Amino acid sequence: MLKNLVVYASETGNTKKLAEEIFSILPSSMGEKDIVNVRSWNGKLDAENYFVGFWANRGSCSLEIIDLLSSLQHRNIALFGTCGMGNTDKYYASLEQNACVWISDSNNYLGSYFCQGQMQDAIREKYESYRGLKSDSKIDLILSYFDESLNHPDRTDMLKAHMFIENCIKKIQSLTLV
């Protein structure tokens, strides 16, 4: 059994970038580690510590991530991910809450980290096409979210991921002392 497994779902590459950063942060002193896209994960890789990443899919995680989280028992689990819109602590808390529903009480939940991710150009085009049909002020607001997302995840997001993983490691170490 592996010590640490980073499993992620990424549609546009944002969550993959974050997953790769998290994988690189995990120290070799914590034991063997691996990283896998959830679509390649067949349940044969198992670990004590799971770092599970996903992109925001209508305020929650994808079915693949739900299946993974639901299957885990007696593990340490941390969540991370990206979203294009909704770059607020309140939205991130709702993403966490919606994903945690799928985590069994037999697991130790380590916490979550979410950040903004760059959106695809098709989203901008979609909302631009609504001009004249919907409130321009609402369209302008959505387009401002799009523009804000263009450089994310950025270096600050990655530094926050480092702090998150450091906290997860401390929690894992305190669990092993019990």
Side-chain angles (χ1 to χ4, degrees):
M1 179 186 316
L2 289 169
K3 192 74 168 175
N4 302 293
L5 184 59
V6 178
V7 183
Y8 67 91
S10 186
E11 288 296 307
T12 60
N14 296 317
T15 306
K16 180 180 180 184
K17 285 180 192 173
L18 198 54
E20 289 170 342
E21 186 74 14
I22 286 171
F23 178 77
S24 74
I25 298 167
L26 292 169
S28 57
S29 62
M30 278 189 63
E32 191 178 0
K33 63 183 181 177
D34 205 345
I35 183 171
V36 64
N37 184 314
V38 72
R39 291 183 177 156
S40 302
W41 183 75
N42 55 14
K44 291 185 180 177
L45 285 177
D46 193 16
E48 288 180 33
N49 308 309
Y50 280 80
F51 300 88
V52 180
F54 59 91
W55 53 282
N57 181 16
R58 296 184 178 123
S60 191
C61 49
S62 66
L63 290 175
E64 298 154 320
I65 295 297
I66 289 171
D67 288 344
L68 167 64
L69 293 174
S70 299
S71 72
L72 299 176
Q73 301 291 323
H74 308 288
R75 300 290 183 258
N76 300 317
I77 301 172
L79 300 175
F80 66 92
T82 60
C83 66
M85 293 196 193
N87 183 25
T88 66
D89 290 339
K90 182 178 178 181
Y91 185 63
Y92 296 151
S94 72
L95 288 174
E96 177 182 31
Q97 182 179 12
N98 291 339
C100 282
V101 167
W102 305 105
I103 299 174
S104 164
D105 290 341
S106 74
N107 296 297
N108 295 309
Y109 180 63
L110 304 173
S112 70
Y113 170 67
F114 294 96
C115 67
Q116 192 167 29
Q118 182 178 3
M119 290 185 260
Q120 297 173 321
D121 290 337
I123 292 173
R124 176 176 259 291
E125 293 165 10
K126 172 184 167 186
Y127 285 104
E128 286 283 3
S129 75
Y130 293 154
R131 290 215 183 267
L133 303 173
K134 299 194 180 222
S135 164
D136 279 355
S137 62
K138 286 184 181 178
I139 293 169
D140 289 340
L141 178 64
I142 291 169
L143 293 176
S144 73
Y145 295 149
F146 178 91
D147 293 340
E148 183 183 319
S149 80
L150 289 175
N151 297 315
H152 289 273
D154 63 11
R155 193 68 209 138
T156 301
D157 298 325
M158 297 305 182
L159 289 173
K160 289 179 181 178
H162 279 251
M163 292 185 299
F164 170 66
I165 293 303
E166 286 174 15
N167 287 330
C168 288
I169 291 169
K170 287 177 187 172
K171 289 178 183 177
I172 290 167
Q173 289 169 340
S174 72
L175 289 169
T176 58
L177 296 175
V178 175

